[in-house]
Amino acid sequence: MTFPRSDKDGVAAMIIGVDIEPDWNLPANIWLPIQWPFVARKSSSMQSASRSTFKASSVQEDASSLGFSCHPVAILVLLERPTLANRALAILPLVCGQKSSKAGDVIQIFLIDEVGAVNATPERLGVVGLWLDGLAAVAIDALEIRQEEGRVEQPELTGFVSNRDPSMAILGWEVRGHCQRQRLAIWALQWPEDSVEQHTEARLAGTLDSVDQLKNELEDLLSPEQVRSDQVELGLYRADASTFDLGAAGLVCLPHNTSDVQAIVKACVRHGRPLVARGGGTGLAGGAIPCGDRPVVIALSGLDQILEVDVEARLAWVEPGVINLDLTKHLTPLGFHFAPDPSSQMASTLGGNVANNSGGPHCLAYGITNAHVLAIELVLPDGQVGMIGSVEGDAPGYDLRGVVVGSEGMLGIATRIAVKITPNPPAIATLLGAFATVTEAAQAVTAVIGDGLIPAAIELMDRNAIKLIEDFVHAGYPLDAEAVILLELDGLADGVEAMSAQAGQIMLDAGAISVRSAADDVERALLWKGRKAAFGAISQAQPDYYLNDTVVPRTRLVEVLESIYEIAARYDLMVINVFHAGDGNLHPILAFDSRDPGRLEQVHKAGREIVEASMAAGGVLSGEHGIGVEKQAYMSLMFSPIDLAQQDLLRTTFDPNGLSNPGKVLPTGATCAELQQMHTVPEGIWV
Amino acid sequence: MTMLERFATEVGATDPVSCVGGRTQWDQAGIADASAREVSAPTGVVEIVPEEMIVRVRAGTPLVELHQALAEVKQRVALPSPAELGAERFAGTVGGALAVAHGGWRQLCLGPPRDSVMEVTYVTAAGELSKSGGAVVKNVSGFDICRLLVGAHGTLGFMAEFVLRASPVPEASQWFRRELEQGDKLPNRVQDAIHAPGSILCTGSHVFVLLEGHPADVAADRTVLSGLGFSEMAEDPPRLGRNHWSARRGSELARGQESGLEFVGLTGTGMLTANSETVPASTLSPVAASMNRRLKERFDPTGRLNPGRDPLFGITVNQETSS
């Protein structure tokens, strides 16, 4: 393939995707002025329909329009398979790093969008507000072409440009021109070369020496290829899918095994250098952001082997970089699956799931990750390695396994994980109930649970969500409804049929306009596709969104939802509610345009009010996304100083040096989140 | 002053103190220091919210009282009932059951007791009330200290009040039994044949299967079990033993048979029980053992909480490398 580039200096696009060629003839003058996170992937449903859609020619077709733009570099990551998302993170620096002569360049890669079968797709990731849609026009153009060729699905190719990148603030720039040039592939920023160098020097001043010593040592302990320090590579790992982008990595290490991880941790302890373990980087609370004194990021995506599946013991040993959905796919022929199904499951790793104690729609019946992890080989923050938990019954002593799951990488790094595997249900019924009011829908959820039914999942979507989803993926949701409930039951055929009738009747009694049942797997997949595409659909309405995550008692859902609508109305914000209603796990999404002056601040205020309303109703701060840097400041809403001191005691027992993922969860000191609230970048901070 | 605050005051901050429940499992986890001052957690079921499937209960509440209160709203919790443990042990308290954290027959479907603990209010070694977790079914806010306290035999803090997850009592519930033939991995065959059994117990001579759930499902599985040679039983299956040990999941029967003891195994959970004092020792990695010690040292620096108790009592630390 030819590499698309314009004839202007410093303009190039790099494409990583279906056929990754390590020896691509990249232009020698490639440089990457600012983050251009363009990620596309094929959905599973597209693979069979048009396998060649994203082959080089069509990439060329899309990417060629990049040449119309003035100066940028585009990074397109075309993900034919979800695992490529992680591989791209590992490969990209190796490809482009040597070609980049400019330190301080920053790229960010985000997985975006989702379409696919049941359990097959993640939420739209990495676009939790703050990201402007720069490449949507490509998708639209490509859609027309594909439709002419009889291809049914829209390629999910979108780009985002950060208007809040601190580098831009330093340079006094802002993203402009989206509205005027919507039909262009991407909108370009010009980055004066001299300012890059000048700025880079300032960024690196003061800390380089100590990092270099550590780097040399790690290169000896591992191999030079496993220790990455190019600014482009560091930039890749400075953020996750959350809104917070003020992290700064000192080094990125790519371990191959437990010994590597142990060596890295011990070296960090010797140098007093913080470290951050990273899985798929799909977290929404900023848990994987390198905070503090330029931590070493330990990217575990290379530890991606499913080591053992023991059907008799109903368990699998996996490495932490195995992608959630890949494990389930691996288990499918055996009649099993991994029960926790976070919406990011096609991109998030099991190590990340363990760190976040991840949930998902089907956790209503099956429980969240903690209930599915049996044992963990853990590298402690001091570098010791040992097994916690047990594949043999309950491990004696304190439940170390239980407390490490969900500890957001602050109590150690999992290098091998034994998980329970769950038999696939013989029968499934999926119901779609339509309601004239959100209140009736929420009451129906309470009624179903109150009647003694425990469905596998109960999801609720409000009118805004229904409209966006229907426009986006045509899932077959009724457009005249104010709310729909997606309810799934599983088990044996007769019981499922009976419970399905019971749940349908309860919904009708609660005021449902209609209740229909998916006739077959295709319709079931379509109904779930709608639910799981919800976050991708939101880009139809506004360029940015902020997704919150709180849990309230199910019986208080109605009043808290009313509060959320009231708060959103008061701030004149569009709110979309798509959530795990059976658990009372709210996901209100505030859609907005960060280009509007003052808008982001209003969104933050509204977000805090939503958290406060949830807490006032007896809820908790987070049901499945975790605290990370996002909700540190709210911890005191839920916990007393004594409670927090006890949590800190636990943390320092595991990590006396405070080096393991510092600046997260517990509200201590200046955190990334606090820095993020600042509108100017403090002098001297490395961004 | 609330009952919990009074309890915290009573626990105090200085002298050695033991928390006493029903004294029904007093032989577990070492020998209590008899010279320590004794305190008891407050009692009473505070609140049952059937629609939320949660119950708030104080730690000193007798187990039987909790079970009865929940039965009135047709719900249950994953804590053992009298039939499972025997009446004399069942005289214990909710706090005692969760301090020891032994489950009952239904661990296969309900999970271990600690999985049903959503929130714990406890008294720290400094005599202060602290809370971990939250009263909703899904919660990842902060570090989950509940996990440490449950099963800790009161060595890190004295649990005073819980919010527990309840679940509906199934419409249909029936035990089945079949005699075991030599060499037959019958429990595993049941696990493969039945989608979601409530329990599969094995002894040296029999396999016992609990079917629970929707009547239609139980009826369908009953046919499957009949095909495997099982028949319904009117009486209860065997009680679980006082002492526990572990096996790889799915190999409970084989490990039980190897032990030569009169055992009850809980197929699929990796748990074996017996009343013998000489059950095989459980093992722990050196790193896990050292973390246990460090946690105790940090959470109770003077060792005043339940002196003499040690969750690692009788445990073998294996020789796994920890360099």
Side-chain angles (χ1 to χ4, degrees):
Chain A
M1 65 186 288
T2 56
F3 196 79
R5 54 182 299 193
S6 85
D7 54 3
K8 295 186 179 179
D9 285 345
V11 176
M14 186 168 64
I15 299 169
I16 296 179
V18 179
D19 302 307
I20 293 178
E21 298 286 346
D23 58 348
W24 275 354
N25 181 23
L26 296 174
N29 63 346
I30 182 171
W31 60 284
L32 308 163
I34 200 165
Q35 49 200 23
W36 285 102
F38 300 125
V39 181
R41 69 166 187 82
K42 290 175 71 175
S43 71
S44 53
S45 56
M46 287 173 65
Q47 286 179 5
S48 55
S50 54
R51 192 148 187 86
S52 65
T53 301
F54 279 99
K55 290 293 184 188
S57 59
S58 56
V59 170
Q60 184 69 44
E61 161 203 313
D62 292 338
S64 61
S65 55
L66 299 177
F68 291 117
S69 56
C70 344
H71 290 282
V73 173
I75 305 300
L76 304 176
V77 180
L78 304 178
L79 303 174
E80 172 146 289
R81 289 184 299 127
T83 47
L84 276 179
N86 272 9
R87 285 182 200 156
L89 278 176
I91 291 169
L92 175 62
L94 302 180
V95 174
C96 74
Q98 293 160 6
K99 305 291 181 186
S100 170
S101 59
K102 301 290 183 286
D105 298 340
V106 175
I107 313 163
Q108 287 193 335
I109 292 186
F110 293 98
L111 308 177
I112 59 161
D113 222 325
E114 52 165 331
V115 172
V118 175
N119 294 340
T121 55
E123 298 169 1
R124 178 175 178 160
L125 301 169
V127 287
V128 194
L130 308 185
W131 304 102
L132 302 180
D133 181 344
L135 204 55
V138 168
I140 295 164
D141 290 342
L143 175 63
E144 290 169 3
I145 294 164
R146 282 168 179 73
Q147 283 176 337
E148 285 168 15
E149 294 176 2
R151 297 168 183 170
V152 292
E153 296 249 12
Q154 173 175 330
E156 295 149 42
L157 183 63
T158 312
F160 298 90
V161 180
S162 169
N163 201 14
R164 286 180 56 81
D165 183 282
S167 301
M168 298 182 67
I170 288 171
L171 292 168
W173 290 342
E174 61 178 15
V175 174
R176 292 164 284 133
H178 284 75
C179 296
Q180 295 87 341
R181 307 182 69 177
Q182 275 186 345
R183 302 297 292 178
L184 276 186
I186 56 175
W187 183 87
L189 270 179
Q190 184 168 6
W191 180 287
E193 195 163 330
D194 56 347
S195 72
V196 174
E197 290 181 339
Q198 186 186 358
H199 184 54
T200 299
E201 282 174 23
R203 286 171 171 176
L204 300 181
T207 52
L208 205 54
D209 285 350
S210 61
V211 172
D212 273 355
Q213 285 172 8
L214 178 58
K215 176 170 180 275
N216 293 339
E217 198 172 315
L218 284 168
E219 283 179 346
D220 288 343
L221 289 165
L222 310 173
S223 68
E225 292 72 30
Q226 289 175 265
V227 185
R228 317 303 305 173
S229 60
D230 184 280
Q231 293 303 305
V232 172
E233 301 165 66
L234 299 185
L236 275 172
Y237 292 91
R238 74 171 205 172
D240 57 14
S242 68
T243 57
F244 305 100
D245 63 352
L246 274 182
L251 293 170
V252 175
C253 290
L254 308 171
H256 294 155
N257 50 46
T258 303
S259 303
D260 286 354
V261 175
Q262 186 178 27
I264 297 164
V265 171
K266 285 187 167 181
C268 285
V269 171
R270 279 195 300 276
H271 286 256
R273 172 75 45 183
L275 55 93
V276 179
R278 182 187 177 100
T282 60
L284 291 167
I289 294 177
C291 286
D293 185 17
R294 299 184 66 200
V296 171
V297 172
I298 303 177
L300 294 156
S301 47
L303 276 70
D304 60 354
Q305 298 300 304
I306 297 169
L307 302 168
E308 179 194 353
V309 175
D310 183 339
V311 169
E312 185 175 279
R314 306 263 163 123
L315 66 85
W317 274 105
V318 299
E319 291 186 323
V322 171
I323 288 181
N324 176 302
L325 190 60
D326 285 355
L327 175 59
T328 284
K329 284 178 178 168
H330 185 84
L331 296 172
T332 301
L334 304 170
F336 289 83
H337 67 287
F338 181 60
D341 59 340
S343 293
S344 59
Q345 69 176 165
M346 60 86 76
S348 65
T349 62
L350 291 165
N353 294 165
V354 167
N356 283 290
N357 197 5
S358 299
H362 289 80
C363 290
L364 177 58
Y366 291 95
I368 57 178
T369 298
N370 212 327
H372 298 273
V373 173
L374 298 169
I376 298 169
E377 180 186 74
L378 189 75
V379 179
L380 283 166
D382 67 0
Q384 289 190 80
V385 180
M387 196 65 73
I388 59 171
S390 176
V391 294
E392 297 188 354
D394 216 5
Y398 304 134
D399 185 14
L400 305 174
R401 173 210 60 84
V403 82
V404 163
V405 175
S407 61
E408 306 200 23
M410 296 170 74
L411 305 186
I413 300 174
T415 47
R416 284 192 295 153
I417 307 160
V419 297
K420 280 189 201 171
I421 60 175
T422 304
N424 295 338
I428 303 173
T430 308
L431 302 179
L432 186 74
F435 291 83
T437 66
V438 176
T439 299
E440 284 173 330
Q443 285 166 342
V445 171
T446 307
V448 167
I449 303 278
D451 211 49
L453 284 176
I454 302 184
I458 310 181
E459 303 287 306
L460 195 155
M461 287 159 273
D462 70 3
R463 179 188 175 78
N464 283 342
I466 296 166
K467 173 77 169 57
L468 290 170
I469 289 167
E470 274 309 292
D471 288 351
F472 193 54
V473 295
H474 314 297
Y477 296 169
L479 284 167
D480 57 347
E482 285 294 322
V484 295
I485 288 177
L486 188 61
L487 184 150
E488 191 155 285
L489 294 145
D490 65 22
L492 299 184
D494 290 350
V496 165
E497 191 180 334
M499 289 187 291
S500 171
Q502 187 185 348
Q505 190 58 50
I506 293 170
M507 285 199 277
L508 288 171
D509 292 346
I513 306 165
S514 67
V515 177
R516 71 182 169 93
S517 178
D520 51 30
D521 286 345
V522 174
E523 190 177 354
R524 178 180 0 274
L526 191 62
L527 291 176
W528 274 107
K529 175 176 165 179
R531 163 62 183 89
K532 297 204 168 192
F535 297 101
I538 286 156
S539 63
Q540 312 288 303
Q542 291 284 336
D544 307 304
Y545 69 80
Y546 175 67
L547 165 60
N548 216 318
D549 166 48
T550 65
V551 186
V552 300
R554 283 177 283 242
T555 45
R556 309 287 292 271
L557 271 177
V558 171
E559 66 183 272
V560 178
L561 279 169
E562 283 170 359
S563 295
I564 289 170
Y565 285 119
E566 185 275 320
I567 291 164
R570 191 148 35 77
Y571 286 95
D572 192 26
L573 284 164
M574 181 182 190
V575 63
I576 298 130
N577 279 296
V578 183
F579 62 98
H580 311 309
D583 293 319
N585 189 182
L586 291 161
H587 282 340
I589 302 153
L590 301 172
F592 65 104
D593 187 338
S594 63
R595 291 169 298 184
D596 297 342
R599 205 57 171 146
L600 191 61
E601 290 70 25
Q602 290 176 322
V603 169
H604 284 154
K605 283 182 188 166
R608 182 176 178 99
E609 287 193 32
I610 287 172
V611 170
E612 287 169 346
S614 301
M615 299 301 296
V620 297
L621 294 174
S622 176
E624 56 185 15
H625 295 174
I627 301 297
V629 297
E630 183 199 9
K631 287 180 172 167
Q632 274 175 305
Y634 302 157
M635 284 286 276
S636 56
L637 294 177
M638 185 167 165
F639 296 110
S640 74
I642 293 170
D643 302 339
L644 292 172
Q646 288 276 298
Q647 294 192 30
D648 194 46
L649 193 57
L650 171 68
R651 195 254 163 129
T652 53
T653 304
F654 276 81
D655 183 15
N657 301 315
L659 293 177
S660 197
N661 206 8
K664 310 288 166 63
V665 181
L666 298 172
T668 51
T671 65
C672 282
E674 287 160 3
L675 294 173
Q676 174 72 10
Q677 302 301 319
M678 298 180 184
H679 297 287
T680 57
V681 178
E683 195 174 347
I685 190 170
W686 192 92
V687 289
Chain B
M1 190 183 271
T2 66
M3 289 173 87
L4 298 187
E5 286 164 348
R6 272 201 296 277
F7 179 52
T9 305
E10 194 184 352
V11 172
T14 51
D15 57 329
V17 57
S18 282
C19 193
V20 181
R23 255 184 232 280
T24 58
Q25 308 196 77
W26 204 245
D27 58 340
Q28 299 281 324
I31 298 152
D33 181 345
S35 68
R37 183 167 57 90
E38 291 187 354
V39 296
S40 290
T43 61
V45 175
V46 181
E47 183 185 27
I48 292 178
V49 191
E51 305 86 347
E52 300 290 350
M53 290 189 287
I54 61 168
V55 52
R56 183 179 289 274
V57 58
R58 298 195 189 100
T61 310
L63 265 175
V64 65
E65 190 180 323
L66 174 64
H67 281 296
Q68 282 169 356
L70 282 167
E72 286 174 18
V73 296
K74 296 183 181 162
Q75 292 189 357
R76 63 184 184 183
V77 288
L79 291 175
S81 65
E84 294 169 61
L85 297 179
E88 74 286 357
R89 287 175 65 194
F90 190 69
T93 62
V94 175
L98 285 166
V100 176
H102 286 166
W105 288 326
R106 293 175 175 78
Q107 289 178 73
L108 186 61
C109 65
L110 296 180
R114 61 165 54 93
D115 278 2
S116 59
V117 177
M118 295 152 60
E119 180 186 292
V120 178
T121 306
Y122 60 101
V123 182
T124 69
E128 296 173 319
L129 275 180
S130 186
K131 187 194 80 172
S132 174
V136 291
V137 293
K138 204 171 175 189
N139 176 21
V140 294
S141 314
F143 296 130
D144 194 358
I145 291 177
C146 299
R147 294 271 165 186
L148 284 184
L149 297 170
V150 176
H153 298 270
T155 55
L156 300 178
F158 287 173
M159 299 185 285
E161 184 174 287
F162 304 96
V163 177
L164 303 177
R165 178 200 299 264
S167 60
V169 174
E171 279 185 65
S173 180
Q174 177 63 50
W175 280 98
F176 297 80
R177 172 176 51 194
R178 208 203 107 174
E179 206 164 312
L180 192 60
E181 289 166 17
Q182 192 159 11
D184 185 1
K185 293 173 82 172
L186 183 59
N188 304 83
R189 291 200 287 133
V190 171
Q191 201 172 11
D192 291 341
I194 304 291
H195 174 59
S199 179
I200 307 170
L201 303 180
C202 55
T203 66
S205 61
H206 287 84
V207 174
F208 305 86
V209 180
L210 174 64
L211 296 182
E212 286 193 329
H214 195 278
D217 287 351
V218 170
D221 279 337
R222 176 194 305 259
T223 309
V224 176
L225 279 185
S226 296
L228 290 172
F230 280 83
S231 52
E232 275 186 35
M233 51 192 284
E235 69 277 22
D236 282 331
R239 289 175 183 171
L240 302 182
R242 297 183 70 80
N243 297 312
H244 288 223
W245 76 102
S246 301
R248 192 170 173 95
R249 286 155 185 263
S251 64
E252 297 86 355
L253 175 61
R255 296 291 87 75
Q257 288 170 329
E258 280 170 17
S259 73
L261 302 172
E262 198 171 310
F263 68 95
V264 181
L266 294 107
T267 302
T269 69
M271 305 288 294
L272 286 146
T273 74
N275 284 321
S276 165
E277 297 296 328
T278 57
V279 300
S282 297
T283 60
L284 198 64
S285 72
V287 160
S290 130
M291 281 311 303
N292 270 268
R293 306 285 179 224
R294 274 155 72 177
L295 283 164
K296 173 66 178 173
E297 286 162 16
R298 298 295 307 287
F299 277 80
D300 181 17
T302 63
R304 63 181 295 258
L305 299 180
N306 277 4
R309 295 275 174 227
D310 180 3
L312 298 186
F313 183 80
I315 301 301
T316 303
V317 176
N318 63 27
Q319 294 308 305
E320 173 190 334
T321 56
S322 62
S323 58

